[in-house]
Amino acid sequence: MTTADPKGAREHARAQAGTRVAAMPTLPATAEDVPEGARVVWEETLASGGYSAKRLSRGTRLRLIDLDADACVSMLAFNAEMPTERLNIADTLKVQWNAYIGEGKVLLSDLGRVMLSVMTDTAGTHDAFCGASNQASNARKYGQGFNHSPYPNARDRFMLGVAKFGLSRKDVHPCLNWFKGVKVEEDGATTPQIGPFTAGRQVILRAEMDLIVVFANTPHVLDPRDGYHVTPVRVTAWKGEITPEDDMIRTSTPEALRAFLNTEDYYAR
């Protein structure tokens, strides 16, 4: 079979039907390990150096699983209806009087609304300080760092993801890193928490707004190891109910309640 002419190229392309690799979206989205009766809307495995982006509706549950104990998933989040509103890491930490993100915490937008709630966290090592790697940082460490090199960086991966929604370089804001942590010591020094960890650690988030989420699975910018170490992460999302008024995360603190009220006021229209 030759691909030098249109007919040969068509036959070659159609012969790939049904081929699956480890890292790719499942279409239509299906998953067996979700709550009974749940409608799955996203099922994908992100490879080492991979990225993805998706629009999710309010109430959706979003699960990330560190399959082989060495993932580092950097995340951006935008209000899907008005992407100028986006995740604000500084306010997320400041408003909750806490430097670390984990179960029971919320992720806030730059307008004081809750965007996501952390429903489950079996990892406990996440980073809201260091941001994303870039081409220069990867080039210094690995010799190359551009998008189509063997060592892609998180920021350039983000730019591919946001472009799917008409956004650009200026929209790549400070990110949250899941599964690799940074501990702030008493003297102010930052100690990266890189592992080794246990395979299968997971985070389950609840979308409190209609969102665009963008992921890049690349090594943490403070990873002290010489090689480009990052392993696949599984992403699954399914439809869920909007947060009720008596939800434990919603009522956990005065600050969380205010953020939920701000979000609910936005949707009251």
Side-chain angles (χ1 to χ4, degrees):
M1 182 184 299
T2 176
T3 59
D5 64 86
K7 289 184 178 180
R10 180 181 63 190
E11 291 177 9
H12 175 75
R14 290 181 175 176
Q16 311 308 310
T19 300
R20 287 198 58 81
V21 296
M24 65 182 295
T26 298
L27 299 176
T30 57
E32 296 181 356
D33 56 342
V34 298
E36 185 176 357
R39 183 160 72 88
V40 180
V41 295
W42 189 10
E43 175 67 16
E44 182 172 357
T45 298
L46 303 186
S48 168
Y51 79 97
S52 193
K54 193 79 168 180
R55 178 169 178 153
L56 301 174
S57 61
R58 189 180 179 203
T60 298
R61 273 53 170 178
L62 174 62
R63 183 180 64 200
L64 309 176
I65 300 179
D66 181 5
L67 293 173
D68 298 315
D70 211 0
C72 180
V73 187
S74 303
M75 184 184 78
L76 306 178
F78 303 84
N79 177 343
E81 184 180 64
M82 184 178 65
T84 51
E85 181 180 7
R86 69 260 327 249
L87 175 63
N88 187 303
I89 294 295
D91 285 355
T92 292
L93 301 184
K94 177 178 64 178
V95 169
Q96 295 181 98
W97 310 99
N98 196 308
Y100 303 103
I101 299 300
E103 189 168 312
K105 299 300 182 184
V106 295
L107 307 183
L108 302 182
S109 79
D110 48 13
L111 294 180
R113 300 180 182 124
V114 58
M115 305 187 83
L116 293 143
S117 298
V118 185
M119 299 183 71
T120 300
D121 175 21
T122 66
T125 52
H126 312 297
D127 164 38
F129 300 111
C130 295
S133 59
N134 56 46
Q135 184 171 333
S137 67
N138 275 25
R140 284 194 300 270
K141 185 167 186 179
Y142 309 114
Q144 296 179 352
F146 56 89
N147 241 330
H148 301 294
S149 76
Y151 314 108
N153 67 84
R155 186 172 177 82
D156 281 352
R157 286 315 205 196
F158 279 153
M159 285 192 283
L160 294 178
V162 300
K164 298 179 183 297
F165 295 91
L167 305 175
S168 64
R169 180 185 295 271
K170 65 179 175 57
D171 299 298
V172 178
H173 54 272
C175 67
L176 180 64
N177 298 312
W178 298 108
F179 300 121
K180 299 296 187 191
V182 172
K183 180 182 178 182
V184 179
E185 307 293 351
E186 290 188 5
D187 62 358
T190 54
T191 302
Q193 298 172 306
I194 303 302
F197 297 116
T198 303
R201 301 184 308 153
Q202 66 176 269
V203 174
I204 300 178
L205 308 172
R206 180 176 58 205
E208 307 295 355
M209 305 180 70
D210 293 339
L211 297 175
I212 296 167
V213 293
V214 184
F215 294 124
N217 187 30
T218 62
H220 191 277
V221 69
L222 294 186
D223 193 324
R225 296 172 292 180
D226 291 334
Y228 190 88
H229 295 288
V230 63
T231 54
V233 62
R234 182 183 171 203
V235 183
T236 309
W238 59 91
K239 293 285 189 180
E241 297 297 324
I242 294 172
T243 304
E245 290 186 358
D246 61 352
D247 178 76
M248 292 181 62
I249 298 177
R250 182 181 182 275
T251 59
S252 60
T253 66
E255 294 82 8
L257 179 57
R258 178 56 185 238
F260 272 95
L261 291 172
N262 289 341
T263 298
E264 291 156 7
D265 180 66
Y266 176 74
Y267 284 102
R269 58 196 170 83

